Amino acid sequence: MPSSGAGTPSGRCGGPCATRGSWSIETPLFCGTAHDDGAPADSAAAVNLVAELATRLTIEPRLRVVILVPRETPFVPGYEPFAMYHYARRRLTAQTLALAGGTVDGLNARRPRVVIAHPMGVPGRPLVIRSTTVIVDDVWCLTGASSYSRRGLTFDGSNDVVMTDWTIDRGASVAIRAHRKALMAMHLGVGPQPVGGGAPASPVGAPAGDWVRLHQGVSAHETFADLLLSGGRGKLLPLWNGPDPNAVNAVIPHPAQVADPDGRDGASLITSVIAALGGNAII
């Protein structure tokens, strides 16, 4: 069962793909959303949001993107062939966006325009992410149980809510901007007042510097880019490519029509899945 209509990208990819300022994405799976075999009969399901985002990065030099994903894909033990497929696709997607975005000048080094990282949960353990939030230019927000992937937006059962806001401040939705700041601040361990890490309280009640930087999408991106370039400081990890596919006894990934379906094949898809289950000691 596909995601609800509110969460399914438009065939013309209107609002989000016309972005100029910033994208913020948290999602359990991150890869292309269109089928490699071409568009289905319904053209509205054919949009590849990764390709659209790469195009916007090429057209709009001011655009900045922060993408946070769990280190490990959400597939439980026994589904390693599914996981191996999505590790490879995630790596390819990251390379595509990094090439399209390039870098910009930073304080001490060049900053990537697209930051992809794993947020930490507790010391030594990356955060587990099981829901998706996409915020564009602080005026458009999708949140729900889907994932930023082909199967997540066109095949898996889920419900998403898409929101905009009439209360605008300096070009941004007050509520959506506050939501993005709260999500990002959680990963950075900052807030209106310094918290955690033994940081002393400001004698004049000033908020943490990174909290202030989160107010605008571009400066929020700079905060995450600088943190990752400095080693993450226990809050972020660089993108992991997944298990080595060339290692001895490496798991062979399932083909796309099994690991990342879009539902177009109906009964034939079920047949492929059953064949995979019956012919593999690992599903």
Side-chain angles (χ1 to χ4, degrees):
M1 175 180 175
S3 304
S4 65
T8 303
S10 164
R12 295 187 180 182
C13 198
C17 294
T19 180
R20 289 179 175 271
S22 65
W23 278 53
S24 171
I25 301 172
E26 293 187 21
T27 186
L29 286 175
F30 186 70
C31 60
T33 61
H35 200 290
D36 293 339
D37 293 338
D42 179 8
S43 61
V47 174
N48 188 335
L49 293 179
V50 170
E52 294 284 350
L53 181 53
T55 298
R56 290 306 303 174
L57 284 163
T58 303
I59 295 172
E60 181 48 72
R62 295 171 294 179
L63 179 58
R64 305 290 187 270
V65 182
V66 175
I67 302 168
L68 300 178
V69 295
R71 185 175 184 270
E72 298 183 0
T73 62
F75 298 101
V76 299
Y79 286 76
E80 283 80 3
F82 290 84
M84 289 296 287
Y85 171 87
H86 282 278
Y87 284 127
R89 298 296 292 184
R90 186 174 73 180
R91 179 173 65 253
L92 178 62
T93 299
Q95 292 170 349
T96 298
L97 294 179
L99 181 63
T103 60
V104 292
D105 289 333
L107 291 175
N108 300 310
R110 300 282 294 179
R111 294 187 182 109
R113 290 173 61 203
V114 179
V115 173
I116 304 181
H118 309 301
M120 296 298 292
V122 297
R125 292 194 177 188
L127 184 67
V128 174
I129 298 175
R130 290 294 183 263
S131 60
T132 291
T133 297
V134 180
I135 296 176
V136 178
D137 289 346
D138 284 346
V139 296
W140 186 94
C141 175
L142 177 147
T143 188
S146 67
S147 65
Y148 201 105
S149 64
R150 185 169 79 205
R151 67 176 304 141
L153 291 176
T154 66
F155 179 78
D156 291 335
S158 63
N159 284 292
D160 299 307
V161 176
V162 171
M163 297 168 285
T164 56
D165 187 9
W166 291 108
T167 305
I168 303 297
D169 172 53
R170 302 177 190 180
S173 156
V174 173
I176 294 175
R177 180 175 59 199
H179 182 50
R180 175 187 57 75
K181 288 179 64 178
L183 287 175
M184 288 183 161
M186 175 184 68
H187 300 309
L188 298 178
V190 300
Q193 298 294 331
V195 293
S202 167
V204 295
D210 282 345
W211 171 258
V212 177
R213 297 178 78 190
L214 293 181
H215 193 71
Q216 299 289 342
V218 172
S219 56
H221 162 271
E222 293 173 350
T223 302
F224 278 82
D226 292 345
L227 179 61
L228 197 59
L229 288 171
S230 67
R233 288 181 279 172
K235 299 175 181 179
L236 294 178
L237 293 174
L239 182 67
W240 181 50
N241 288 333
D244 184 359
N246 298 315
V248 177
N249 296 325
V251 175
I252 298 175
H254 278 326
Q257 62 266 31
V258 175
D260 196 22
D262 69 353
R264 73 171 68 189
D265 295 324
S268 64
L269 171 65
I270 297 175
T271 302
S272 297
V273 172
I274 291 175
L277 294 176
N280 203 329
I282 300 177
I283 294 175

